[in-house]
Amino acid sequence: MSATLIRNVHLATMADSAATANGAGYGELRDAALLVRDGRIAWLGRADALTGEIAAGVAEEIDGEGGWLTPGLIDCHTHLVFGGDRSHEFELRLEGASYEEIARAGGGIRSTVAATRAAGEDALFAAARGRLARLEAEGVTRVEIKSGYGLDFDSERRMLRVARRLGAAGGAAVHTTYLAAHALPPEYQGRQDDYVAACIAWLGILHGEGLIDAVDAFCENIAFSPAQVERLFDAAGALGLPVKLHAEQLSDQGGAGLVARRRGLSADHLEWLDADGIAAMAAAGTVAVMLPVAFYYLRETRLPPIDALRAAGVAMAVATDCNPGTAPCTSALLALNMACTLFRLTPAEALAGMTCHAARALGVQDQAGTLEVGKRADLALWRIGRPAELCYWLGAAPLAGRWVGGVKMA
Ligand code: NIG
Ligand code: FE
């Protein structure tokens, strides 16, 4: 029975925000302490309520030096594993080319596919490990990682294996998502339905290998149609796998309604989301994942319908979308800042979006995302005076400590 007591801290439990889809608070508990036993939160409360009985068997005491303890941050939408980079396309976009034009000319996702296919497993792992380390340095303790830059069986499998290896390395919990339906690979040009059939066949095999936690697709006029996504989701449902969707990023395809009708975990992006999609998400409890870095990077002008989502009680998560094309970002705190500055979330909503609502978007709200007794001790300790500072500073490096499953990380 190993026990650690973290004292001299203020807690942002985020439990109020978790209780309702868009509760407004941090769940503040000032002058507090938190006890970790066997990897879980065993007790938390006001420091003056801490008794010798509660603290019995404490092997280690941490002085939080008056900082704030929050749930470890959860980045619920990333494409962290990829080969190469797309800085050249960044230059082209600055000269006026659009994301769609670059994609239609064979660049975009497809250029990352070529680089990813050419990279060996160890090279992909090393590059992704570096990116994950930067997220961890900003308090991330759990991350979702998608495939989708392989687009053939071996390369999709390699990406998912790398993601599993990143999880096994222990610095953060990793959820894997199968995103073979991300773009049409060149060898299937003109044969989109055949490619969807291949994605479905690979899904069964890779799921059998234990590599897949959820299934995603890019539902867009430059990617896959709603009918094709339905076929893929039928196969996911038959395997008992949860679904999520890149929906309404560049146009309104009705993707959010589609994934909500399947009781999907989340619909992500959502700049073109309409009222029907919002109603369907609210009815199903599907989380809206906000990706403000991609919005910024693509210099979009159409905002997701934040006020309507809020009014409908749809839980909003916030994620980096780390990927080489639209969000080359390994800063969780920058994504929080942009959720506030660009999307007008309050800092409390943004932090809920990277804790309790992100946990819901990964289906792990019973284990993670809030500071509550019984939850896994995934924690971040910050040198800040108020929780809103997590959204306020740029480049501040405020992390003072991080625990994953109760284990203190360096
Ligand atoms: O989440 N929207 C599609 N997928 C990624 C972009 C991938 C890329 O451009 O490489 C996204 O924005
Ligand atoms: Fe994405």
Side-chain angles (χ1 to χ4, degrees):
M1 291 264 285
S2 66
T4 302
L5 181 66
I6 306 170
R7 58 197 317 167
N8 192 17
V9 283
H10 308 296
L11 307 182
T13 67
M14 306 314 291
D16 311 356
S17 292
T20 56
N22 45 25
Y26 297 107
E28 294 185 22
L29 201 57
R30 287 173 183 269
D31 303 314
L34 182 143
L35 179 70
V36 177
R37 214 185 277 284
D38 295 330
R40 302 202 165 263
I41 299 172
W43 181 89
L44 58 83
R46 291 282 306 258
D48 53 19
L50 182 66
T51 63
E53 199 182 338
I54 293 166
V58 165
E60 184 192 21
E61 276 199 27
I62 308 272
D63 180 358
E65 297 182 355
W68 281 82
L69 194 66
T70 69
L73 300 185
I74 299 173
D75 194 352
C76 69
H77 180 140
T78 85
H79 309 248
L80 207 66
V81 176
F82 57 84
D85 71 80
R86 302 234 291 276
S87 52
H88 177 56
E89 291 178 13
F90 176 64
E91 292 173 320
L92 292 178
R93 285 220 312 276
L94 289 172
E95 287 163 16
S98 74
Y99 183 67
E100 284 100 327
E101 281 163 3
I102 291 171
R104 288 189 196 284
I109 294 172
R110 282 215 219 156
S111 65
T112 299
V113 170
T116 303
R117 287 180 174 180
E121 184 171 318
D122 288 345
L124 286 177
F125 177 83
R129 181 69 210 125
R131 292 188 276 270
L132 181 56
R134 296 202 286 279
L135 290 173
E136 290 169 1
E138 290 195 340
V140 170
T141 54
R142 186 178 291 267
V143 61
E144 183 254 18
I145 302 178
K146 301 172 195 297
S147 71
Y149 289 123
L151 312 189
D152 63 33
F153 178 73
D154 287 341
S155 308
E156 287 291 299
R157 177 199 251 163
R158 199 158 66 250
M159 290 186 71
L160 291 165
R161 280 189 182 163
V162 167
R164 279 282 186 254
R165 274 176 68 189
L166 290 166
V174 170
H175 294 242
T176 60
T177 299
Y178 178 67
L179 179 60
H182 193 197
L184 190 68
E187 60 273 22
Y188 278 89
Q189 199 63 51
R191 295 189 297 130
Q192 242 197 350
D193 283 321
D194 291 348
Y195 181 64
V196 174
C199 292
I200 291 169
W202 303 337
L203 169 63
I205 301 169
L206 296 172
H207 176 55
E209 294 181 2
L211 290 171
I212 298 176
D213 297 328
V215 175
D216 191 355
F218 188 15
C219 187
E220 192 52 67
N221 52 30
I222 57 167
F224 295 92
S225 69
Q228 289 165 333
V229 173
E230 297 274 19
R231 282 170 55 206
L232 178 71
F233 283 3
D234 283 343
L239 295 170
L241 283 167
V243 295
K244 57 178 79 177
L245 194 62
H246 283 74
E248 275 71 275
Q249 181 183 14
L250 307 171
S251 62
D252 184 3
Q253 302 279 317
L258 186 166
V259 71
R261 282 190 292 279
R262 303 237 174 201
R263 305 238 153 234
L265 291 170
S266 67
D268 303 36
H269 287 291
L270 302 176
E271 279 80 350
W272 292 80
L273 179 64
D274 68 7
D276 289 348
I278 295 171
M281 291 177 71
T286 297
V287 176
V289 178
M290 300 287 120
L291 301 169
V293 183
F295 173 92
Y296 163 80
Y297 235 81
L298 292 173
R299 296 201 292 179
E300 298 284 358
T301 50
R302 186 184 169 106
L303 287 164
I306 303 288
D307 290 341
L309 285 165
R310 198 185 273 125
V314 176
M316 291 182 277
V318 176
T320 62
D321 195 15
C322 176
N323 77 71
T326 64
C329 172
T330 52
S331 172
L333 299 180
L334 180 61
L336 287 182
N337 171 267
M338 288 185 172
C340 299
T341 54
L342 299 177
F343 287 2
R344 294 281 182 253
L345 267 59
T346 66
E349 285 176 325
L351 189 59
M354 230 183 240
T355 54
C356 55
H357 297 326
R360 181 169 293 279
L362 296 178
V364 292
Q365 62 273 22
D366 295 338
Q367 300 168 47
T370 60
L371 303 183
E372 288 178 286
V373 170
K375 290 221 172 158
R376 235 173 80 113
D378 294 341
L379 313 169
L381 177 64
W382 309 94
R383 282 180 292 263
I384 51 173
R386 303 178 64 241
E389 287 183 53
L390 295 176
C391 304
Y392 165 73
W393 297 105
L394 299 180
L399 190 73
R402 199 173 66 92
W403 289 260
V404 177
V407 177
K408 176 99 167 69
M409 299 287 131

